Amino acid sequence: MWLQAVPQFIGLLALLYIPGYFVLRAFWFSKRQSLAGAPVTFSAIIALQGILWDMAGIAWRPLTVLPVYALIGAASIFILVERGGSWQRLFVFTAPLDNFFRTGDAGTVGSDDFWRGWGNQPRPSVSKSTAVLLALMMLVAVATISGPMLVINPQIPLQGWDPVFHANGIAVVEQTQSASYFGSLTALYGLDTTPTNYAVAWHAIASLVATAQNVIVSMNAFIVVISVLWITGVWGLIRSLGLDNRYVLAGLATIAAMLVFPTYLTSTYPPIPNAFAVALLPGFLALVAITVREGVRDQSVKVFGIRVLALLLLAVGSLFVHPSMITSLALLLVVPFTGLLVKFFMRAPRRHKLVALVFSIALILATVLTLILVPSFQERLRAQLTYDTTPGVLDSALLKTVTAWPMLGAEMGRNNATALLLLQAGLFVLLVFGVGTLIVKKSRRWLILVWLVTAVLTFTTMARQGPFVAIAGLWYMSPHRAMSLQQIPMAVLISIGLVTFIQLARKLIVSARARRYFTAGFLIIVQLVVAGLSLGPRSYMIKDAWGYRRPAFAMVSEDETAMLYRLRDQLPTDAIVLGDPSTGAGFVKAITGRDVVFAQLYVRESNEREWYLARHLSDINTDPQVCQFVNELGITHYYADSNYFNLGASMRERMPGLYHVPVYDGFELVDSGGTADVYEITACR
């Protein structure tokens, strides 16, 4: 089944990694750093390109979008050659890596203090066995996180409030050939509505590999790609912090043990563009870390200045990829940047202090003014800062905060609950080892503070009380959005903890030969254990989110999905379908390409005619205003579903007019599937 998604999967990887890689190489970033930061670079450019293309009236489609990146690649090669290199250096990874089996101190946790750790560390020689092990463990990590998705049919949509919106968002971009933050997704808010701004970068990227026939397949392929972005980003972040490949491999061995991101945030609670933005953050942080480290070490004003400029441009683009990226970056960087500024002001000459102060104030003001003055950002900021909350249970919040515990119910079963408990206990132990290592060795202790900041955010979203409630509203008071950020510093701390644990265990081994291979063997065992324990809870979340575990609560069954795909050939191209978006009607636009009245589960009551029909369509034979609005809006078909319990709750009270419609008079059956029927409306002719 998943063979049909391979072209979309490969296309997305090519788009997200190749153009951004070339751009970063031109800005003096190494090959490894460029690979880790490539996705966020491409995404930021895409977000800005969508706005520019819309302003210039250029259609958003592959033939008009992608040639730009061919020019970028050519420019990168030219710049590299002009700097005295060769075009082969763009691709061949000749930079030295760490020898995994050596026991020296280069790149270890204890080899630096807070500031020297940003730079002054030698680069040991390469080990082929390390490179092979890295590649294999990375593949296993991706397979562990995304492998359970193989049980689903990629033509079946992820089911929930957000997936309806985002699947239809891809269809809107593909149909309208517009991908601007400013108004391109207005069609999702109704046929009779006002222009609406929304972050469209994720939909824009997906539309470049999607056609009208495979929007759902492309969306499911993108969910798998998010796990790749997350893993390569964490890999780049650990290396950019000056830690060697032992820590990278430890991170790969344990990354799948954290179930909130990406699995929970792309299945049980799936705000997909937000999950995409979170997956981009480690790569962005890796670029920031290496810029600071090498700026301190090399003192090259030219390279440092160019890199800072590149990062500022990325920040601007990231604001339009997803506004939460800026608030998340601010949260993750406030501790190290504050420390850097304090240290700088203590040591720098007065002239440099003034420049740094002016730059810092300008950066803070620019961020604040952008969030406050741009109307669309201002509206979202106000809504989020005043997010309504109900206080939660403090002790439960504290317990689940420490290890970013996913909020799964007892219905997952005893075996899955046991596996989850073992995973969380293991993460807690390794987290304690990691924190203890940094405290004892007085190294990178700022990482602990970063984790604490994100943990406070998570705790606030779960407790729903305290002094930081307004700030937590920026993350929609969602524990899992906050936990996803918490997992970034947590991944680094856990990798440090695992390496420390291994180093202590190695001392108990007498045989030199056994000690040599102990680290690699232990890491492989840890990764396999994590894969085995996480399989059950992860499969539970995925099957539930795609409607396999509880068919009665699914938005669309397999039979209903098959009907939706048949409707491509049965509905006229100018058809407009009316139905409750919490049923299969919500996916009509994404699967058939035909327009719908309600393209998402949020309905604007200000769209008076649409809202009237949602409450009174069942009165079509007695209320003349119903037919008046049907004809004015051009509605041609009605989507009926006898399953009232989609999304786990009755939806009849919300849109009563879309149920018990007298289809025996004035309606002609087009097709049926599962509990759903689609009719042509003839009563209003």
Side-chain angles (χ1 to χ4, degrees), residues 529-551:
V529 170
V530 166
L533 289 175
S534 64
L535 177 61
R538 190 167 270 120
S539 297
Y540 165 83
M541 288 188 279
I542 289 172
K543 288 180 180 179
D544 193 51
W546 269 266
Y548 282 82
R549 195 181 67 83
R550 296 181 297 170

Side-chain angles (χ1 to χ4, degrees), residues 651-681:
M651 305 301 291
R652 275 189 301 174
E653 296 178 2
R654 186 164 164 261
M655 295 181 166
L658 300 182
Y659 294 91
H660 300 300
V661 176
V663 294
Y664 51 82
D665 185 16
F667 293 82
E668 292 184 5
L669 182 65
V670 176
D671 202 348
S672 299
T675 58
D677 304 290
V678 177
Y679 298 90
E680 182 182 2
I681 302 175

Side-chain angles (χ1 to χ4, degrees), residues 173-474:
V173 173
E174 197 273 333
Q175 292 168 13
T176 63
Q177 298 184 346
S178 174
S180 172
Y181 177 92
F182 301 103
S184 288
L185 294 187
T186 297
L188 295 180
Y189 292 85
L191 300 174
D192 189 20
T193 192
T194 54
T196 304
N197 300 327
Y198 196 91
V200 71
W202 179 84
H203 312 83
I205 296 170
S207 72
L208 295 176
V209 300
T211 65
Q213 287 72 41
N214 60 21
V215 167
I216 300 301
V217 173
S218 300
M219 181 175 177
N220 286 330
F222 212 138
I223 290 173
V224 177
V225 168
I226 285 174
S227 67
V228 179
L229 304 181
W230 168 246
I231 290 169
T232 57
V234 171
W235 161 67
L237 177 60
I238 293 174
R239 291 295 285 121
S240 294
L241 291 174
L243 299 170
D244 64 34
N245 278 330
R246 284 172 293 178
Y247 299 90
V248 174
L249 290 165
L252 293 175
T254 55
I255 194 168
M258 295 181 286
L259 295 173
V260 171
F261 192 82
T263 305
Y264 196 100
L265 216 65
T266 55
S267 59
T268 306
Y269 176 75
I272 306 299
N274 178 255
F276 174 60
V278 173
L280 298 177
L281 287 174
F284 197 121
L285 294 171
L287 297 179
V288 172
I290 203 65
T291 297
V292 175
R293 282 186 61 224
E294 295 190 353
V296 171
R297 182 183 65 198
D298 300 332
Q299 301 295 325
S300 174
V301 177
K302 176 183 176 182
V303 174
F304 180 74
I306 290 176
R307 284 182 171 180
V308 169
L309 176 62
L311 292 175
L312 290 175
L313 293 174
L314 282 185
V316 173
S318 297
L319 185 65
F320 293 100
V321 171
H322 201 280
S324 68
M325 285 191 70
I326 297 302
T327 52
S328 298
L329 285 169
L331 187 78
L332 292 165
L333 292 174
V334 63
V335 169
F337 270 24
T338 301
L340 278 171
L341 286 175
V342 170
K343 195 72 172 181
F344 181 82
F345 278 103
M346 290 175 62
R347 295 183 176 181
R350 180 177 297 180
R351 177 169 55 89
H352 293 167
K353 290 179 181 178
L354 181 62
V355 173
L357 181 63
V358 171
F359 177 79
S360 302
I361 294 174
L363 185 61
I364 294 171
L365 286 177
T367 303
V368 172
L369 290 175
T370 300
L371 292 172
I372 292 177
L373 298 181
V374 176
S376 58
F377 296 148
Q378 184 183 22
E379 294 168 7
R380 293 185 181 277
L381 190 65
R382 187 186 302 113
Q384 292 168 359
L385 285 173
T386 58
Y387 209 88
D388 187 29
T389 63
T390 301
V393 181
L394 292 179
D395 55 350
S396 174
L398 181 60
L399 175 66
K400 293 179 179 178
T401 293
V402 175
T403 55
W405 189 302
M407 296 197 301
L408 298 174
E411 65 272 10
M412 78 168 84
R414 180 180 298 178
N415 291 338
N416 288 336
T418 301
L420 179 60
L421 181 62
L422 291 173
L423 286 171
Q424 297 299 314
L427 290 175
F428 177 75
V429 170
L430 294 178
L431 183 64
V432 171
F433 266 86
V435 170
T437 300
L438 299 186
I439 292 174
V440 170
K441 296 192 175 183
K442 298 181 179 180
S443 169
R444 298 178 178 85
R445 286 173 291 184
W446 55 271
L447 275 171
I448 303 172
L449 297 178
V450 173
W451 176 79
L452 283 173
V453 168
T454 58
V456 168
L457 174 67
T458 298
F459 177 79
T460 303
T461 59
M462 299 189 76
R464 293 179 174 262
Q465 54 188 296
F468 304 107
V469 166
I471 295 175
L474 293 172

Side-chain angles (χ1 to χ4, degrees), residues 23-58:
V23 171
L24 293 176
R25 290 294 287 131
F27 280 91
W28 276 278
F29 288 100
S30 72
K31 301 176 185 69
R32 181 180 60 247
Q33 298 151 11
S34 299
L35 190 64
V40 68
T41 303
F42 172 74
S43 302
I45 295 173
I46 277 287
L48 297 175
Q49 187 182 4
I51 296 172
L52 294 175
W53 258 230
D54 191 62
M55 292 172 61
I58 302 174

